[in-house]
Amino acid sequence: MFGLAQVRTLQKKLDLILALTVGLALLLASGALLVVEAGKEWRGAKDSLAAQAEIVGLASEAALAFGDTKVGEQNLRVLQALPQVTAAALYDTQGRQFARFLAPGADATSLPPSAPPVGMQFGLQTASVVRPVLSNGEAIGRVYVAVRHGVLQEVAAYLGLLVFTVLVSMFGALLLARRLQHSLTDPIREVSGVARTVLEEGRFDVRARKRSADEVGQLVDAFNAMLDELGLRARVLQETNEALRSSDARYQLAVRGSSAGLWDWDIDGGAMFYSPRLRGTLGYSEDEFPDVPGSLAERMHPEDRPEVDAALQVHLDHDAPFQVQCRLRDHAGQWRWFMVAGMAARDDAGRAYRMAGSLIDISERKASELLLQQSNRAKDAFLATLAHELRNPLAPLRTGLQILKNPRAAPAMQQRTLGMMERQLTHMVRLIDDLLDISRINSGKIRLELAQASLRAALQTALELARPAIDAASHALQVELPDPDIALQGDETRLAQVFGNLLNNAARYTPAGGSIRVRAWREGEKACVEVRDNGVGIPPEMLERVFSLFTQVEGNTGRAAAGGLGIGLFLVRTLVEMHGGHVTATSEGKGLGATFTVRLPCLPPAAAPAPGHDSAPVVRAGEVATRVLVVDDNVDAAETLAVLLEMQGVQARQAHSGQAALERAREFQPDVVLLDIGLPDLDGYDVARRLRADTELAPLKLVALTGWGGEQDRERAREAGFDHHLTKPVDPALLEDLLRRLA
């Protein structure tokens, strides 16, 4: 109204309001004054004109009564003293002009020739009046007077004064109001500036200054309080948005990093939404996998659909958790395992109207579970086989002991029994050594003692190790060793273990009276060793799997064809690959034998050792250590080892605790101490350190003789001061050789 909406500032609006209201008030007041003044002037002019006509009429009464025209004109000329009178006339009773007066410059035609009717005529600038002249109450004529009254000029002058007064008053009022309005507009302007700062800069730390305790001050207080609340809400909103963004980022990262797809089912409308990730997981396009519930059901395995339907119905009816595994067919036609999970949204009545959830690919987990189940079965089979393999040699050992204790046993029978017991014990030792090697391989602690090695020597050692098993089965053995010898960069002991395992396998899986052939040759920069047999053979599907841990070729009964733990070939492949080589298995099928071929990097021919070369030191008879202290808390083990040493011409003493070992060592002054680690009071490491620190003892050699054979155990033994480390049960020939080398 009045253009206030177009005015942008409060100050200008107040000025406009003040100008309009004050101007209207002044205008109304001035109008009223003007009307009053104009009326006053108008009445004054009329009264003055009437009075003048009355005076002229009274003065001219005698002249009219006596018909003296000259006196009448003299009386009219008196009016020339009044500049506003322009004309005057006297008329007799017949209405004829009796006398007249014209002011200088007046038009003679302005006088009526005959008497006009009695009355008064008032114009904007002129006025005229006609009054009767009475004598004794009887009209004797009429008087006419015309004037220029000037009422309009007086009103105009008064109006000008009023306009000037109004303008000056309004200007003064505006100046005064402007100064007084600052107390009102300045706080509001400051509030507006603070609001603009908040909007443009997003700052909520600015505040408006309170200037008074009136309503404006209360407005400032309310505005500042509102800013406090808005700032708090803005901080909360910002923190919430940041938390939402962080949560959304984590959610997006989790979704992108997983194989999860999302689905949303409008139960009432029958519509279904599948996320692009869900379609992409299955390999379908949007056209191939439309947003309808049947898209998922059509690709579900028929055997899994009843279980999924039942779980879904239980969730919808009873709000039980919906999480079920099922198989879905992907675009390539493969069945893959998925975890389908979801949650229904319910109305106030508890009725499900919408449901959303996820689809997660668990094919790898299912494969891992299957592999774990197979591993568990393999572990159970391994433990059963291990128990069987350990019982097999224990039975003849126990029987052999009974034979040896029988006084009626002939010497020849005793010799055969002792040979049998030695073979069974060797088999148990080899079995335990293989298990320890598996443990070292799995923990990454197995180490190779790399040096220039002879392929011929490694094969000869392997043949010696396998000879008892080959002879026991009456196998025909054909050996073709390389000539000249082939030099390798490797661990000769481990290589002998590789070839020994292959030979033992050939002996075990070949029926009695079979044939085994060993052949070695150079092929470029490779040394090749082939072990061939005519045994049970290997099915084609098992040619690669036979090198896996705990894997065996099954016989007709469903059990391993020839016993064993299924670890020998795993050790073969591992040790060969550690030497930079590889091993393969070939077979024409069951009952047609098998061939294992090992290929190893070899050194140039010039590096081959001379025939008959042996890296082991030459030990002459008579250089064996003569004073040996045996320390073991197992009294039987200590006594039997001491007896064996005495049978070899060694002076042996025993101790069965750590403290006793220290005392016996000072008394006996041994050359070598065979020291067990697991002693009841002081362990073998502490005993070794104290023996090394005892200055009364002559320089002696310490040999750890223990069941702990790991690489970490060997390192601890070296740190404690041991010179050598042997694992129980020790080979008597190996012990005798060591004592000769320590002499």
Side-chain angles (χ1 to χ4, degrees):
M1 185 178 181
F2 298 109
L4 287 177
Q6 285 72 35
V7 181
R8 298 183 61 84
T9 65
L10 179 63
Q11 183 69 55
K12 291 181 179 180
K13 288 183 178 181
L14 290 175
D15 291 343
L16 180 59
I17 291 172
L18 178 65
L20 290 174
T21 55
V22 173
L24 179 61
L26 291 175
L27 182 62
L28 292 175
S30 299
L33 289 174
L34 183 62
V35 169
V36 171
E37 186 63 26
K40 181 180 178 182
E41 289 292 332
W42 197 272
R43 288 190 299 272
K46 289 173 65 177
D47 291 344
S48 175
L49 181 59
Q52 291 173 6
E54 188 69 26
I55 291 172
V56 171
L58 289 175
S60 302
E61 179 182 353
L64 285 172
F66 294 103
D68 189 350
T69 305
K70 184 177 180 180
V71 174
E73 290 182 353
Q74 288 178 349
N75 290 337
L76 291 177
R77 279 198 293 271
V78 175
L79 295 174
Q80 66 182 359
L82 299 173
Q84 67 271 23
V85 178
T86 58
L90 292 174
Y91 297 92
D92 57 16
T93 54
Q94 284 76 29
R96 296 188 297 272
Q97 194 178 75
F98 178 74
R100 68 177 186 175
F101 166 77
L102 289 173
D107 186 7
T109 60
S110 60
L111 282 173
S114 59
V118 176
M120 184 179 292
Q121 294 181 355
F122 223 94
L124 294 176
Q125 294 182 349
T126 61
S128 62
V129 63
V130 178
R131 293 185 63 84
V133 178
L134 301 176
S135 176
N136 295 321
E138 183 180 355
I140 59 174
R142 296 180 185 181
V143 61
Y144 169 81
V145 178
V147 298
R148 292 184 180 276
H149 54 74
V151 173
L152 189 61
Q153 288 79 6
E154 292 292 333
V155 172
Y158 189 76
L159 178 60
L161 180 62
L162 284 177
V163 170
F164 176 77
T165 304
V166 167
L167 292 177
V168 172
S169 301
M170 184 172 292
F171 180 74
L174 288 175
L175 287 179
L176 180 61
R178 175 66 66 90
R179 294 185 62 86
L180 295 176
Q181 286 170 3
H182 280 298
S183 62
L184 175 65
T185 59
D186 286 352
I188 297 177
R189 188 181 295 110
E190 185 174 357
V191 168
S192 176
V194 170
R196 188 179 298 107
T197 301
V198 171
L199 289 176
E200 294 176 355
E201 302 180 13
R203 294 173 50 194
F204 290 92
D205 58 339
V206 292
R207 295 292 182 270
R209 183 163 52 93
K210 183 178 180 180
R211 300 171 184 264
S212 62
D214 55 6
E215 289 84 351
V216 176
Q218 295 175 3
L219 174 64
V220 173
D221 287 339
F223 177 75
N224 290 334
M226 181 184 67
L227 285 182
D228 292 338
E229 180 67 21
L230 288 177
L232 176 61
R233 293 187 180 185
R235 288 193 299 273
V236 172
L237 181 61
Q238 183 178 4
E239 293 172 358
T240 303
N241 288 336
E242 291 176 356
L244 278 175
R245 284 193 295 268
S246 177
S247 176
D248 183 67
R250 290 194 300 269
Y251 171 75
Q252 294 296 335
L253 181 62
V255 170
R256 289 195 302 269
S258 69
S259 56
L262 305 180
W263 52 269
D264 191 342
W265 178 25
D266 182 357
I267 300 176
D268 292 339
M272 194 81 172
F273 165 77
Y274 299 108
S275 69
R277 172 57 65 88
L278 187 146
R279 292 190 179 93
T281 301
L282 291 168
Y284 293 103
S285 66
E286 188 172 355
D287 293 335
E288 296 169 331
F289 204 94
D291 284 334
V292 294
S295 296
L296 198 63
E298 291 171 0
R299 290 160 178 83
M300 189 176 297
H301 198 285
E303 296 178 359
D304 301 336
R305 192 175 302 172
E307 181 182 356
V308 175
D309 291 342
L312 177 61
Q313 195 61 46
V314 170
H315 175 71
L316 294 176
D317 293 343
H318 306 290
D319 203 20
F322 177 67
Q323 184 170 315
V324 64
Q325 299 177 11
C326 66
R327 286 163 289 181
L328 297 176
R329 187 178 65 251
D330 61 15
H331 189 269
Q334 301 295 322
W335 291 106
R336 293 160 57 188
W337 280 97
F338 286 86
M339 173 71 74
V340 183
M343 178 68 69
R346 301 177 183 273
D347 56 20
D348 295 338
R351 184 183 62 86
Y353 64 89
R354 184 177 181 180
M355 187 172 181
S358 62
L359 189 74
I360 302 176
D361 189 348
I362 59 170
S363 300
E364 293 183 1
R365 193 184 81 182
K366 276 291 187 178
S368 299
E369 291 176 355
L370 180 61
L371 183 60
L372 182 61
Q373 293 172 359
Q374 294 174 347
S375 299
N376 284 334
R377 287 195 294 269
K379 178 198 68 175
D380 295 340
F382 165 74
L383 292 176
T385 305
L386 177 61
H388 177 267
E389 289 295 314
L390 289 175
R391 289 191 184 98
N392 277 345
L394 287 176
L397 284 174
R398 171 173 286 183
T399 303
L401 286 174
Q402 295 298 324
I403 293 174
L404 293 177
K405 289 193 299 182
N406 193 330
R408 291 180 295 177
M413 177 61 69
Q414 291 180 349
Q415 289 298 322
R416 289 197 301 273
T417 302
L418 288 173
M420 176 271 297
M421 295 177 69
E422 185 175 6
R423 288 194 302 273
Q424 296 300 324
L425 183 60
T426 301
H427 174 69
M428 288 188 65
V429 170
R430 185 181 299 115
L431 186 65
I432 295 172
D433 286 343
D434 285 348
L435 290 173
L436 292 175
D437 283 340
I438 292 296
S439 176
R440 296 187 189 103
I441 290 171
N442 289 335
S443 60
K445 295 179 179 179
I446 192 167
R447 297 290 184 271
L448 297 181
E449 300 294 336
L450 296 178
Q452 182 173 324
S454 165
L455 179 60
R456 180 190 292 269
L459 286 171
Q460 287 176 338
T461 302
L463 288 168
E464 292 175 2
L465 292 173
R467 176 66 68 176
I470 294 173
D471 291 344
S474 302
H475 295 317
L477 179 62
Q478 182 180 355
V479 180
E480 298 179 16
L481 297 180
D483 189 14
D485 196 2
I486 300 175
L488 307 171
Q489 187 70 17
D491 187 328
E492 191 170 304
T493 301
R494 292 299 185 182
L495 291 175
Q497 182 180 1
V498 167
F499 303 134
N501 280 353
L502 291 177
L503 287 168
N504 276 315
N505 263 16
R508 177 180 300 163
Y509 286 94
T510 300
S515 64
I516 300 173
R517 179 185 178 188
V518 180
R519 186 168 67 95
W521 72 95
R522 175 187 291 273
E523 191 175 273
E525 297 181 354
K526 299 288 185 180
C528 303
V529 177
E530 179 185 273
V531 178
R532 181 190 298 269
D533 64 63
N534 63 347
V536 297
I538 304 174
E541 67 275 9
M542 293 291 293
L543 288 174
E544 184 62 26
R545 288 181 54 198
V546 291
F547 294 103
S548 299
L549 191 61
F550 308 139
T551 301
Q552 299 179 10
V553 178
E554 294 183 353
N556 295 331
T557 62
R559 296 182 178 273
L565 296 178
I567 60 178
L569 291 179
F570 174 77
L571 281 173
V572 167
R573 168 166 282 185
T574 302
L575 294 174
V576 168
E577 290 178 349
M578 289 178 69
H579 281 84
H582 66 278
V583 58
T584 58
T586 58
S587 175
E588 296 182 4
K590 282 191 174 184
L592 300 177
T595 301
F596 290 87
T597 305
V598 177
R599 287 179 170 81
L600 297 165
C602 61
L603 298 175
H613 172 75
D614 190 353
S615 59
V618 178
V619 181
R620 294 181 297 274
E623 292 183 347
V624 66
T626 57
R627 303 172 67 83
V628 177
L629 175 61
V630 180
V631 183
D632 199 324
D633 60 335
N634 187 327
V635 177
D636 290 339
E639 287 183 353
T640 54
L641 183 56
V643 170
L644 179 63
L645 293 174
E646 288 175 350
M647 292 174 62
Q648 296 174 355
V650 175
Q651 297 183 43
R653 296 292 186 271
Q654 304 173 41
H656 306 301
S657 67
Q659 192 62 42
L662 295 175
E663 296 173 358
R664 187 60 58 88
R666 296 190 189 97
E667 298 172 359
F668 184 52
Q669 294 291 320
D671 301 318
V672 178
V673 178
L674 302 178
L675 181 57
D676 187 21
I677 299 298
L679 297 174
D681 49 357
L682 300 174
D683 64 26
Y685 303 124
D686 289 335
V687 175
R689 294 187 188 97
R690 297 191 185 189
L691 290 175
R692 290 298 186 197
D694 194 339
T695 58
E696 297 181 4
L697 295 175
L700 51 79
K701 300 293 184 181
L702 298 180
V703 179
L705 187 60
T706 175
W708 303 102
E711 187 62 31
Q712 184 178 0
D713 303 313
R714 295 177 183 273
E715 182 63 29
R716 288 189 64 188
R718 282 192 292 269
E719 292 174 354
F722 283 96
D723 298 290
H724 296 276
H725 187 284
L726 298 178
T727 304
K728 294 179 180 179
V730 65
D731 187 347
L734 179 62
L735 178 60
E736 183 179 2
D737 180 66
L738 177 61
L739 293 177
R740 290 184 182 278
R741 287 190 282 116
L742 293 178

